[in-house]
Amino acid sequence: MNFYSGISFREPSETECLIVITSIIDERIPNTQFRVRVDLIISGWRITKAEKSIYIIYITQIDLNGHIPNAWLKYIEMILPQCAGTM
């Protein structure tokens, strides 16, 4: 799977950071009849430092551009939130 994205990282304050991700089109990787391009419209993290912990808000919006098998959808629903634990 090839995934290309644009990423923006901002620190509006000492206690908060924002990460925004969107998919991009790369002409070196053309669409094919055997693949459906899923567009990551927006994805983002808002990480805020609290007194003894951190708060993480994660949002995502994608356009599947077709049918995705339920097994894949369940996998994606499970794996994306786990990214916060890796951070």
Side-chain angles (χ1 to χ4, degrees):
M1 172 193 293
N2 292 325
F3 181 78
Y4 292 90
S5 63
I7 301 173
S8 176
F9 179 81
R10 306 260 188 228
E11 288 184 81
S13 71
E14 290 185 15
T15 60
E16 181 179 57
C17 75
L18 306 168
I19 303 167
V20 179
I21 306 165
T22 188
S23 60
I24 61 172
I25 296 173
D26 188 332
E27 294 178 6
R28 298 172 292 179
I29 306 169
N31 292 337
T32 69
Q33 68 183 38
F34 303 107
R35 295 183 182 166
V36 174
R37 177 183 165 88
V38 174
D39 293 318
L40 176 62
I41 297 167
I42 191 166
S43 181
W45 301 83
R46 179 180 179 191
I47 304 168
T48 307
K49 182 180 175 184
E51 188 174 316
K52 295 183 179 182
S53 63
I54 61 170
Y55 295 102
I56 298 175
I57 297 173
Y58 173 70
I59 63 164
T60 188
Q61 181 182 5
I62 60 173
D63 182 354
L64 300 176
N65 289 325
H67 174 73
I68 303 289
N70 282 338
W72 261 101
L73 289 176
K74 289 182 181 188
Y75 173 75
I76 291 169
E77 288 173 354
M78 181 183 70
I79 199 74
L80 285 178
Q82 292 177 0
C83 294
T86 304
M87 292 176 59

